[in-house]
Coordinates of all heavy atoms in Angstrom, one line a residue:
M1 N -3.4 12.1 -10.0 CA -3.1 13.5 -9.4 C -2.2 13.4 -8.2 O -2.5 12.5 -7.3 CB -4.5 14.1 -9.0 CG -4.7 15.4 -9.8 SD -6.1 16.3 -9.3 CE -7.4 15.1 -9.5
P2 N -1.3 14.3 -8.1 CA -0.5 14.2 -6.9 C -1.2 14.7 -5.6 O -2.2 15.4 -5.7 CB 0.6 15.3 -7.1 CG 0.5 15.8 -8.5 CD -0.9 15.4 -8.9
V3 N -0.8 14.3 -4.5 CA -1.5 14.6 -3.3 C -0.5 15.6 -2.4 O 0.6 15.3 -2.3 CB -1.7 13.4 -2.4 CG1 -2.2 13.7 -1.0 CG2 -2.7 12.4 -3.1
Y4 N -1.1 16.7 -2.0 CA -0.3 17.7 -1.4 C -0.8 17.8 0.1 O -2.0 17.5 0.4 CB -0.4 19.0 -2.0 CG 0.1 19.0 -3.4 CD1 -0.7 18.8 -4.5 CD2 1.5 19.0 -3.6 CE1 -0.3 18.8 -5.8 CE2 2.0 19.0 -5.0 CZ 1.1 18.9 -6.0 OH 1.6 18.8 -7.2
V5 N 0.0 18.2 0.9 CA -0.3 18.3 2.3 C -0.6 19.8 2.7 O 0.2 20.6 2.4 CB 0.8 17.7 3.3 CG1 0.4 17.9 4.8 CG2 1.0 16.2 2.9
F6 N -1.7 20.1 3.3 CA -2.0 21.4 3.7 C -2.2 21.4 5.2 O -2.5 20.5 5.9 CB -3.3 21.9 3.0 CG -3.1 22.1 1.6 CD1 -3.2 21.1 0.7 CD2 -2.8 23.4 1.1 CE1 -3.0 21.3 -0.7 CE2 -2.6 23.5 -0.3 CZ -2.8 22.5 -1.2
A7 N -1.9 22.6 5.8 CA -2.1 22.7 7.3 C -3.1 23.9 7.6 O -2.9 25.0 7.1 CB -0.8 23.0 7.9
C8 N -4.0 23.6 8.5 CA -4.9 24.5 8.9 C -4.5 24.9 10.3 O -4.2 23.9 11.1 CB -6.4 23.9 9.0 SG -7.6 24.8 9.9
H9 N -4.4 26.1 10.8 CA -4.0 26.3 12.2 C -4.9 25.9 13.3 O -4.6 25.6 14.4 CB -3.5 27.7 12.5 CG -3.9 28.8 11.5 ND1 -3.1 29.9 11.2 CD2 -4.9 29.0 10.8 CE1 -3.6 30.6 10.3 NE2 -4.8 30.1 10.1
E10 N -6.2 25.6 12.9 CA -7.2 25.1 13.8 C -7.1 23.6 13.9 O -7.1 23.0 15.0 CB -8.5 25.5 13.5 CG -8.8 27.0 13.4 CD -8.5 27.7 14.8 OE1 -8.9 27.1 15.8 OE2 -7.9 28.8 14.8
C11 N -7.2 22.9 12.8 CA -7.4 21.5 12.8 C -6.2 20.7 12.4 O -6.2 19.4 12.5 CB -8.5 21.2 11.7 SG -9.8 22.3 11.8
G12 N -5.0 21.3 12.0 CA -3.9 20.5 11.7 C -3.8 20.2 10.2 O -4.5 20.9 9.4
S13 N -3.0 19.2 9.9 CA -2.8 19.0 8.5 C -3.8 18.0 7.8 O -4.4 17.2 8.5 CB -1.4 18.5 8.3 OG -1.2 17.3 8.9
F14 N -4.0 18.1 6.5 CA -4.8 17.2 5.8 C -4.2 17.1 4.4 O -3.4 17.9 4.0 CB -6.3 17.8 5.7 CG -6.4 19.2 5.1 CD1 -6.6 19.3 3.8 CD2 -6.2 20.4 5.9 CE1 -6.8 20.6 3.2 CE2 -6.4 21.6 5.3 CZ -6.6 21.7 4.0
E15 N -4.7 16.2 3.7 CA -4.1 15.9 2.4 C -5.2 16.2 1.3 O -6.4 16.1 1.6 CB -3.7 14.4 2.2 CG -2.5 14.1 3.0 CD -2.1 12.7 2.9 OE1 -2.9 11.9 2.4 OE2 -0.9 12.4 3.1
L16 N -4.7 16.7 0.2 CA -5.6 17.1 -0.9 C -5.0 16.7 -2.2 O -3.8 17.0 -2.5 CB -5.8 18.6 -0.8 CG -7.0 19.2 -1.5 CD1 -8.2 18.7 -0.8 CD2 -7.0 20.7 -1.3
A17 N -5.7 16.1 -3.1 CA -5.3 15.7 -4.4 C -5.7 16.9 -5.3 O -6.9 17.2 -5.4 CB -5.9 14.4 -4.8
R18 N -4.8 17.4 -6.0 CA -5.1 18.4 -7.0 C -4.0 18.5 -8.1 O -3.0 18.0 -8.0 CB -5.2 19.9 -6.3 CG -4.0 20.1 -5.4 CD -3.9 21.6 -5.0 NE -5.1 22.2 -4.5 CZ -5.1 23.4 -4.0 NH1 -4.0 24.1 -4.0 NH2 -6.2 23.9 -3.6
P19 N -4.5 19.2 -9.2 CA -3.5 19.2 -10.3 C -2.2 19.9 -9.9 O -2.3 20.9 -9.0 CB -4.2 20.0 -11.4 CG -5.7 20.0 -11.0 CD -5.7 19.8 -9.5
M20 N -1.1 19.5 -10.5 CA 0.2 20.1 -10.1 C 0.2 21.7 -10.3 O 0.8 22.4 -9.5 CB 1.3 19.5 -10.9 CG 2.3 18.8 -10.2 SD 3.5 18.0 -11.3 CE 3.3 16.3 -10.9
A21 N -0.6 22.2 -11.3 CA -0.6 23.6 -11.6 C -1.1 24.3 -10.4 O -0.8 25.6 -10.2 CB -1.3 23.8 -12.8
E22 N -2.0 23.7 -9.6 CA -2.6 24.4 -8.4 C -2.0 24.0 -7.1 O -2.5 24.4 -6.1 CB -4.1 24.0 -8.4 CG -4.9 24.5 -9.6 CD -6.4 23.9 -9.6 OE1 -6.8 23.5 -8.5 OE2 -6.8 23.8 -10.7
A23 N -0.8 23.4 -7.2 CA -0.2 22.8 -6.0 C 0.0 23.9 -4.9 O -0.3 23.6 -3.7 CB 1.1 22.2 -6.4
S24 N 0.4 25.1 -5.3 CA 0.8 26.0 -4.2 C -0.3 27.0 -3.9 O -0.1 27.8 -3.0 CB 2.0 26.9 -4.7 OG 3.0 26.0 -5.2
S25 N -1.4 27.0 -4.6 CA -2.5 27.9 -4.2 C -3.2 27.4 -2.9 O -3.1 26.3 -2.6 CB -3.5 28.0 -5.4 OG -4.0 26.8 -5.8
R26 N -3.8 28.4 -2.3 CA -4.4 28.1 -1.0 C -5.5 27.1 -1.1 O -6.1 27.2 -2.1 CB -4.9 29.4 -0.3 CG -3.7 30.4 -0.1 CD -3.3 30.4 1.3 NE -2.0 31.3 1.4 CZ -1.9 32.2 2.3 NH1 -3.0 32.6 3.0 NH2 -0.9 32.9 2.4
A27 N -5.8 26.5 0.0 CA -6.9 25.5 0.0 C -7.7 25.8 1.2 O -7.3 26.4 2.2 CB -6.4 24.1 0.0
S28 N -9.0 25.4 1.2 CA -9.7 25.7 2.4 C -9.9 24.4 3.2 O -10.0 23.3 2.6 CB -11.1 26.2 2.1 OG -11.8 25.4 1.2
C29 N -9.8 24.4 4.5 CA -9.8 23.3 5.4 C -11.1 22.6 5.3 O -12.2 23.1 5.2 CB -9.6 23.8 6.8 SG -9.9 22.5 8.1
P30 N -11.1 21.2 5.1 CA -12.3 20.5 4.9 C -13.2 20.4 6.2 O -14.4 20.2 6.1 CB -11.9 19.1 4.5 CG -10.5 19.0 5.0 CD -9.9 20.4 5.0
T31 N -12.6 20.8 7.3 CA -13.2 20.7 8.6 C -13.9 22.1 8.9 O -15.2 22.2 9.2 CB -12.3 20.3 9.7 OG1 -11.7 19.1 9.3 CG2 -13.1 19.9 10.9
C32 N -13.2 23.1 8.9 CA -13.6 24.4 9.4 C -13.8 25.4 8.3 O -14.1 26.6 8.5 CB -12.7 24.9 10.5 SG -11.1 25.4 10.0
Q33 N -13.4 25.0 7.0 CA -13.5 25.9 5.9 C -12.5 27.2 5.9 O -12.6 28.0 5.0 CB -14.8 26.4 5.6 CG -15.9 25.4 5.6 CD -15.6 24.2 4.7 OE1 -15.3 24.4 3.5 NE2 -15.9 23.0 5.1
S34 N -11.6 27.3 6.9 CA -10.7 28.4 6.9 C -9.6 28.1 6.0 O -9.4 27.0 5.5 CB -10.3 28.7 8.4 OG -9.4 27.7 8.7
E35 N -8.8 29.2 5.6 CA -7.7 29.1 4.7 C -6.6 28.2 5.3 O -6.2 28.4 6.3 CB -7.3 30.5 4.4 CG -6.6 30.5 3.0 CD -6.3 32.0 2.6 OE1 -5.5 32.5 3.3 OE2 -7.0 32.6 1.8
A36 N -6.1 27.3 4.4 CA -5.0 26.5 4.8 C -3.8 26.7 3.9 O -4.0 26.9 2.7 CB -5.4 25.0 4.9
R37 N -2.6 26.6 4.5 CA -1.4 26.8 3.7 C -0.8 25.5 3.3 O -1.0 24.5 4.1 CB -0.4 27.5 4.5 CG -0.6 29.0 4.6 CD 0.3 29.5 5.6 NE 0.2 31.0 5.6 CZ 1.3 31.8 5.3 NH1 2.5 31.2 5.1 NH2 1.2 33.1 5.2
R38 N -0.2 25.4 2.2 CA 0.4 24.1 1.7 C 1.7 23.9 2.6 O 2.5 24.8 2.9 CB 0.9 24.3 0.3 CG 1.4 22.9 -0.1 CD 1.7 22.9 -1.6 NE 2.6 21.7 -1.9 CZ 3.4 21.6 -2.7 NH1 3.6 22.6 -3.7 NH2 4.2 20.6 -2.9
V39 N 1.9 22.6 3.0 CA 3.1 22.3 3.8 C 4.0 21.7 2.7 O 3.6 20.8 2.0 CB 2.8 21.2 4.9 CG1 4.0 20.8 5.6 CG2 1.8 21.8 5.8
F40 N 5.2 22.1 2.6 CA 6.0 21.6 1.6 C 6.7 20.2 1.9 O 7.6 20.1 2.7 CB 7.1 22.5 1.2 CG 6.4 23.7 0.3 CD1 5.9 24.7 0.9 CD2 6.3 23.5 -1.1 CE1 5.2 25.7 0.2 CE2 5.7 24.5 -1.8 CZ 5.1 25.6 -1.2
T41 N 6.1 19.2 1.4 CA 6.5 17.9 1.4 C 6.7 17.3 0.0 O 6.1 17.9 -0.8 CB 5.6 16.9 2.2 OG1 4.3 17.1 1.5 CG2 5.5 17.3 3.6
P42 N 7.5 16.3 -0.2 CA 7.6 15.8 -1.6 C 6.2 15.3 -1.9 O 5.6 14.6 -1.1 CB 8.6 14.8 -1.5 CG 9.0 14.6 -0.1 CD 8.5 15.7 0.7
P43 N 5.7 15.6 -3.1 CA 4.4 15.2 -3.5 C 4.3 13.7 -3.5 O 5.2 13.1 -4.1 CB 4.1 15.8 -4.9 CG 5.5 16.1 -5.4 CD 6.3 16.4 -4.2
R44 N 3.3 13.1 -3.0 CA 3.1 11.6 -3.0 C 2.2 11.4 -4.2 O 1.1 11.8 -4.3 CB 2.5 11.2 -1.8 CG 2.3 9.7 -1.7 CD 1.9 9.3 -0.2 NE 0.8 9.9 0.3 CZ -0.5 9.4 0.1 NH1 -0.6 8.3 -0.6 NH2 -1.5 9.9 0.6
L45 N 2.8 10.7 -5.2 CA 2.1 10.4 -6.4 C 1.1 9.3 -6.1 O 1.4 8.3 -5.5 CB 3.0 10.0 -7.5 CG 4.0 11.2 -7.9 CD1 4.9 10.7 -9.0 CD2 3.2 12.4 -8.3
T46 N -0.2 9.6 -6.6 CA -1.2 8.7 -6.4 C -1.1 7.5 -7.4 O -1.6 6.4 -7.2 CB -2.7 9.3 -6.5 OG1 -2.6 10.1 -7.7 CG2 -2.9 10.1 -5.3
R47 N -0.4 7.8 -8.5 CA -0.3 6.8 -9.5 C 1.0 5.9 -9.2 O 2.0 6.1 -9.9 CB -0.2 7.4 -10.9 CG -1.6 7.9 -11.3 CD -1.5 8.4 -12.7 NE -1.0 7.3 -13.6 CZ -1.4 7.1 -14.8 NH1 -2.2 7.9 -15.3 NH2 -1.0 6.0 -15.5
L48 N 0.9 5.1 -8.2 CA 1.9 4.1 -7.9 C 1.8 2.9 -8.9 O 0.6 2.7 -9.3 CB 1.7 3.7 -6.5 CG 2.9 3.5 -5.6 CD1 3.8 4.7 -5.6 CD2 2.4 3.1 -4.2
A49 N 2.8 2.3 -9.2 CA 2.7 1.1 -10.0 C 1.7 0.2 -9.4 O 1.7 -0.1 -8.2 CB 4.0 0.4 -10.1
A50 N 0.8 -0.4 -10.2 CA -0.3 -1.2 -9.7 C 0.1 -2.3 -8.7 O -0.4 -2.5 -7.7 CB -1.1 -1.8 -10.8
P51 N 1.1 -3.2 -9.1 CA 1.5 -4.2 -8.2 C 2.0 -3.8 -6.9 O 1.6 -4.3 -5.8 CB 2.6 -5.0 -8.9 CG 2.6 -4.5 -10.3 CD 1.9 -3.2 -10.3
M52 N 2.7 -2.6 -6.8 CA 3.2 -2.0 -5.7 C 2.1 -1.6 -4.8 O 2.0 -1.8 -3.6 CB 4.1 -0.8 -6.0 CG 4.8 -0.3 -4.9 SD 6.0 -1.5 -4.2 CE 6.5 -0.6 -2.7
R53 N 1.1 -0.8 -5.4 CA -0.1 -0.3 -4.7 C -0.9 -1.5 -4.0 O -1.2 -1.4 -2.9 CB -1.0 0.4 -5.8 CG -2.2 1.0 -5.2 CD -2.1 2.3 -4.6 NE -1.9 2.0 -3.1 CZ -1.5 2.9 -2.2 NH1 -1.0 4.1 -2.6 NH2 -1.5 2.7 -1.0
R54 N -1.0 -2.6 -4.9 CA -1.7 -3.7 -4.3 C -1.0 -4.3 -3.1 O -1.6 -4.6 -2.1 CB -1.9 -4.8 -5.4 CG -3.4 -5.1 -5.7 CD -3.6 -6.0 -6.8 NE -3.2 -5.4 -8.1 CZ -2.5 -6.0 -9.0 NH1 -1.9 -7.2 -8.8 NH2 -2.3 -5.4 -10.2
A55 N 0.3 -4.4 -3.2 CA 1.2 -5.0 -2.2 C 1.0 -4.1 -0.9 O 0.8 -4.7 0.2 CB 2.6 -5.1 -2.6
L56 N 1.0 -2.8 -1.1 CA 0.9 -1.9 0.1 C -0.5 -2.1 0.7 O -0.7 -2.0 2.0 CB 1.2 -0.5 -0.3 CG 2.6 -0.1 -0.7 CD1 2.7 1.2 -1.3 CD2 3.6 -0.3 0.5
D57 N -1.6 -2.1 -0.1 CA -2.9 -2.2 0.4 C -3.1 -3.5 1.2 O -3.7 -3.5 2.2 CB -3.9 -2.2 -0.8 CG -4.0 -0.8 -1.4 OD1 -3.6 0.2 -0.8 OD2 -4.7 -0.6 -2.4
T58 N -2.5 -4.5 0.6 CA -2.7 -5.9 1.3 C -1.9 -5.9 2.6 O -2.5 -6.3 3.6 CB -2.1 -6.9 0.4 OG1 -2.6 -6.9 -0.9 CG2 -2.3 -8.3 1.0
E59 N -0.8 -5.2 2.6 CA 0.0 -5.2 3.8 C -0.8 -4.4 4.9 O -0.9 -4.7 6.0 CB 1.3 -4.5 3.5 CG 2.3 -4.5 4.7 CD 3.4 -3.6 4.5 OE1 3.2 -2.4 4.3 OE2 4.5 -4.2 4.5
E60 N -1.3 -3.2 4.5 CA -2.1 -2.4 5.4 C -3.3 -3.1 5.9 O -3.7 -3.0 7.1 CB -2.5 -1.2 4.6 CG -2.4 0.1 5.4 CD -2.5 1.3 4.5 OE1 -3.7 1.8 4.3 OE2 -1.6 1.8 3.9
A61 N -4.0 -3.8 5.1 CA -5.3 -4.4 5.5 C -4.9 -5.6 6.4 O -5.7 -5.8 7.4 CB -5.9 -5.0 4.2
S62 N -3.9 -6.4 6.1 CA -3.6 -7.5 6.9 C -3.2 -7.2 8.4 O -3.3 -7.9 9.2 CB -2.6 -8.4 6.3 OG -1.3 -7.7 6.3
A63 N -2.8 -5.9 8.6 CA -2.4 -5.5 9.8 C -3.6 -5.4 10.8 O -3.5 -5.7 12.0 CB -1.7 -4.1 9.8
H64 N -4.7 -4.9 10.3 CA -5.9 -4.7 11.2 C -7.0 -5.8 10.8 O -7.9 -5.8 11.7 CB -6.5 -3.3 11.2 CG -6.7 -2.7 9.9 ND1 -7.8 -2.9 9.3 CD2 -5.9 -2.0 9.1 CE1 -7.8 -2.2 8.1 NE2 -6.6 -1.7 8.0
E65 N -7.0 -6.4 9.7 CA -8.0 -7.4 9.5 C -7.4 -8.6 8.8 O -7.5 -8.9 7.6 CB -9.1 -6.8 8.6 CG -8.7 -6.1 7.4 CD -9.9 -5.5 6.6 OE1 -10.6 -4.6 7.1 OE2 -10.2 -5.9 5.5
P66 N -6.6 -9.4 9.6 CA -6.0 -10.6 9.0 C -7.0 -11.6 8.4 O -8.0 -11.8 9.1 CB -5.2 -11.2 10.1 CG -5.7 -10.5 11.4 CD -6.4 -9.2 10.9
R67 N -6.6 -12.1 7.3 CA -7.5 -13.0 6.6 C -7.3 -14.4 7.1 O -6.0 -14.8 7.2 CB -7.3 -12.9 5.1 CG -8.7 -12.9 4.4 CD -8.4 -12.8 2.9 NE -8.2 -11.4 2.5 CZ -7.5 -11.0 1.4 NH1 -7.1 -12.0 0.6 NH2 -7.3 -9.8 1.1
V68 N -8.3 -15.1 7.5 CA -8.1 -16.5 8.1 C -8.4 -17.5 7.1 O -9.4 -17.3 6.4 CB -9.0 -16.6 9.4 CG1 -8.7 -18.0 9.9 CG2 -8.6 -15.5 10.4
V69 N -7.5 -18.4 6.9 CA -7.7 -19.4 6.0 C -8.7 -20.5 6.5 O -8.5 -21.0 7.6 CB -6.5 -20.2 5.6 CG1 -6.6 -21.3 4.6 CG2 -5.5 -19.2 5.0
T70 N -9.8 -20.7 5.8 CA -10.8 -21.6 6.4 C -10.9 -22.9 5.7 O -11.5 -23.8 6.1 CB -12.2 -20.9 6.3 OG1 -12.5 -20.5 5.0 CG2 -12.3 -19.8 7.3
E71 N -10.4 -23.0 4.5 CA -10.4 -24.2 3.7 C -9.1 -24.4 3.0 O -8.4 -23.5 2.8 CB -11.6 -24.2 2.8 CG -11.4 -23.1 1.7 CD -12.6 -23.1 0.8 OE1 -13.7 -23.2 1.3 OE2 -12.4 -22.9 -0.4
K72 N -8.9 -25.8 2.7 CA -7.7 -26.2 1.9 C -7.9 -25.7 0.5 O -9.0 -26.0 0.0 CB -7.4 -27.6 2.1 CG -6.8 -27.9 3.4 CD -6.4 -29.3 3.4 CE -6.4 -30.0 4.8 NZ -6.3 -31.5 4.7
R73 N -6.8 -25.3 -0.1 CA -6.9 -25.0 -1.5 C -5.8 -25.6 -2.3 O -4.8 -26.0 -1.8 CB -6.7 -23.4 -1.7 CG -8.0 -22.7 -1.3 CD -8.1 -21.4 -2.1 NE -9.1 -20.6 -1.6 CZ -9.2 -19.3 -1.7 NH1 -8.2 -18.7 -2.3 NH2 -10.1 -18.6 -1.2
G74 N -6.1 -25.9 -3.6 CA -5.1 -26.3 -4.4 C -5.0 -27.9 -4.4 O -5.8 -28.5 -3.7
R75 N -4.0 -28.4 -5.1 CA -3.8 -29.9 -5.2 C -3.1 -30.4 -3.9 O -2.2 -29.7 -3.5 CB -3.1 -30.2 -6.5 CG -4.0 -30.1 -7.7 CD -3.2 -30.3 -9.0 NE -2.1 -29.4 -9.1 CZ -0.9 -29.6 -9.4 NH1 -0.5 -30.8 -9.7 NH2 0.0 -28.6 -9.6
P76 N -3.3 -31.6 -3.5 CA -2.5 -32.1 -2.4 C -1.1 -32.3 -3.0 O -0.9 -32.6 -4.2 CB -3.1 -33.4 -2.1 CG -4.1 -33.8 -3.2 CD -4.4 -32.5 -3.9
L77 N -0.1 -32.2 -2.1 CA 1.3 -32.5 -2.6 C 1.4 -34.0 -3.0 O 0.9 -34.8 -2.3 CB 2.3 -32.2 -1.5 CG 2.5 -30.7 -1.2 CD1 3.4 -30.6 0.0 CD2 3.1 -30.0 -2.4
R78 N 2.2 -34.2 -4.0 CA 2.4 -35.5 -4.5 C 3.4 -36.2 -3.4 O 4.3 -35.5 -3.0 CB 3.0 -35.6 -5.8 CG 2.2 -36.5 -6.8 CD 3.0 -36.7 -8.1 NE 3.4 -35.4 -8.7 CZ 4.5 -35.4 -9.5 NH1 5.2 -36.4 -9.8 NH2 4.8 -34.2 -10.0
Q79 N 3.1 -37.4 -3.2 CA 4.0 -38.2 -2.3 C 5.2 -38.4 -2.9 O 5.4 -39.0 -4.0 CB 3.3 -39.6 -1.9 CG 2.2 -39.4 -0.8 CD 2.7 -38.9 0.5 OE1 3.7 -39.2 1.0 NE2 1.8 -38.2 1.2
R80 N 6.3 -37.9 -2.3 CA 7.7 -38.2 -3.0 C 8.2 -39.4 -2.4 O 8.1 -39.8 -1.2 CB 8.5 -37.0 -2.5 CG 8.4 -35.9 -3.5 CD 9.6 -35.1 -3.8 NE 9.3 -33.7 -3.7 CZ 10.1 -32.9 -3.0 NH1 11.1 -33.4 -2.3 NH2 9.9 -31.7 -2.9
R81 N 9.0 -40.1 -3.3 CA 9.7 -41.3 -2.8 C 10.9 -40.8 -1.9 O 11.4 -39.8 -2.1 CB 10.2 -42.1 -4.0 CG 9.1 -43.0 -4.5 CD 9.8 -43.9 -5.6 NE 10.0 -43.3 -6.8 CZ 11.0 -43.6 -7.7 NH1 11.7 -44.7 -7.5 NH2 11.1 -42.9 -8.8
E82 N 11.3 -41.7 -1.0 CA 12.3 -41.4 -0.3 C 13.6 -41.1 -1.1 O 13.9 -41.9 -2.0 CB 12.8 -42.6 0.7 CG 11.8 -42.7 1.8 CD 11.8 -41.6 2.9 OE1 13.0 -41.3 3.3 OE2 10.9 -40.9 3.1
P83 N 14.3 -40.0 -0.8 CA 15.5 -39.7 -1.6 C 16.5 -40.8 -1.3 O 16.7 -41.2 -0.2 CB 15.9 -38.4 -1.2 CG 15.2 -38.1 0.1 CD 14.0 -39.0 0.3
V84 N 17.2 -41.2 -2.4 CA 18.3 -42.1 -2.2 C 19.6 -41.3 -1.9 O 19.9 -40.4 -2.7 CB 18.5 -43.0 -3.5 CG1 19.7 -44.0 -3.4 CG2 17.2 -43.6 -3.8
P85 N 20.2 -41.6 -0.8 CA 21.5 -40.9 -0.6 C 22.6 -41.1 -1.6 O 22.6 -42.2 -2.2 CB 22.0 -41.4 0.8 CG 20.8 -42.2 1.3 CD 19.9 -42.6 0.2
P86 N 23.3 -40.1 -1.9 CA 24.3 -40.2 -3.0 C 25.4 -41.3 -2.9 O 25.9 -41.8 -3.8 CB 24.9 -38.8 -3.1 CG 24.6 -38.2 -1.8 CD 23.4 -38.8 -1.3
W87 N 25.5 -41.8 -1.6 CA 26.6 -42.7 -1.4 C 26.1 -44.2 -1.6 O 26.9 -45.2 -1.4 CB 27.2 -42.7 0.0 CG 26.1 -42.7 1.1 CD1 25.7 -43.8 1.7 CD2 25.5 -41.7 1.8 NE1 24.8 -43.5 2.7 CE2 24.6 -42.2 2.7 CE3 25.5 -40.3 1.6 CZ2 23.7 -41.3 3.5 CZ3 24.7 -39.4 2.4 CH2 23.8 -40.1 3.3
V88 N 24.7 -44.3 -1.8 CA 24.2 -45.7 -2.0 C 24.5 -46.1 -3.5 O 24.2 -45.4 -4.4 CB 22.7 -45.7 -1.8 CG1 22.1 -47.1 -2.2 CG2 22.4 -45.4 -0.3
M89 N 25.2 -47.2 -3.6 CA 25.5 -47.7 -5.0 C 24.4 -48.5 -5.5 O 23.7 -49.3 -4.8 CB 26.8 -48.6 -4.9 CG 28.0 -47.9 -4.4 SD 28.5 -46.6 -5.5 CE 29.8 -47.5 -6.4
H90 N 24.2 -48.4 -6.8 CA 23.1 -49.1 -7.5 C 23.7 -50.3 -8.2 O 24.7 -50.3 -8.7 CB 22.3 -48.3 -8.4 CG 21.5 -47.2 -7.7 ND1 20.3 -47.4 -7.1 CD2 21.8 -45.9 -7.4 CE1 19.9 -46.3 -6.5 NE2 20.8 -45.4 -6.7
Ligands
ZN101 ZN1 -9.6 23.8 9.9

């Protein structure tokens, strides 16, 4: 469902998800229950592509709750042999 922005003159703006058909009808403010008008902004679609949504959520979360790595994961890197410079003749 798209999310629309409404404004209450007492409490300011709030967002509301509702069907597109009801986009322009009045809504009541969730705080004071008075009538709020729709603010015309481009509708923000809640159905964002899943990988994008996850990326945004991760980005948002890491800003205020950074995840700390406490243990090593995965396989250790294989020891590489010293690279032979191209000018060395065999
Ligand atoms: Zn209000």
Side-chain angles (χ1 to χ4, degrees):
M1 241 187 303
V3 174
Y4 299 99
V5 179
F6 290 83
C8 164
H9 14 215
E10 301 298 321
C11 320
S13 62
F14 59 93
E15 291 182 344
L16 200 64
R18 49 160 52 174
M20 244 178 239
E22 294 169 27
S24 310
S25 53
R26 302 258 171 124
S28 56
C29 171
T31 313
C32 69
Q33 310 305 318
S34 73
E35 206 173 69
R37 285 167 169 240
R38 182 172 167 213
V39 179
F40 286 87
T41 54
R44 184 163 59 82
L45 296 178
T46 48
R47 289 187 56 143
L48 216 55
M52 190 63 192
R53 180 78 264 167
R54 238 176 290 134
L56 289 174
D57 286 347
T58 306
E59 187 192 59
E60 220 168 90
S62 68
H64 53 85
E65 48 184 64
R67 228 179 277 159
V68 179
V69 178
T70 52
E71 62 184 43
K72 285 191 207 164
R73 287 208 188 154
R75 289 176 292 140
L77 286 177
R78 234 192 307 154
Q79 285 293 328
R80 278 216 225 129
R81 274 190 286 155
E82 283 295 305
V84 182
W87 58 85
V88 174
M89 300 294 266
H90 294 280

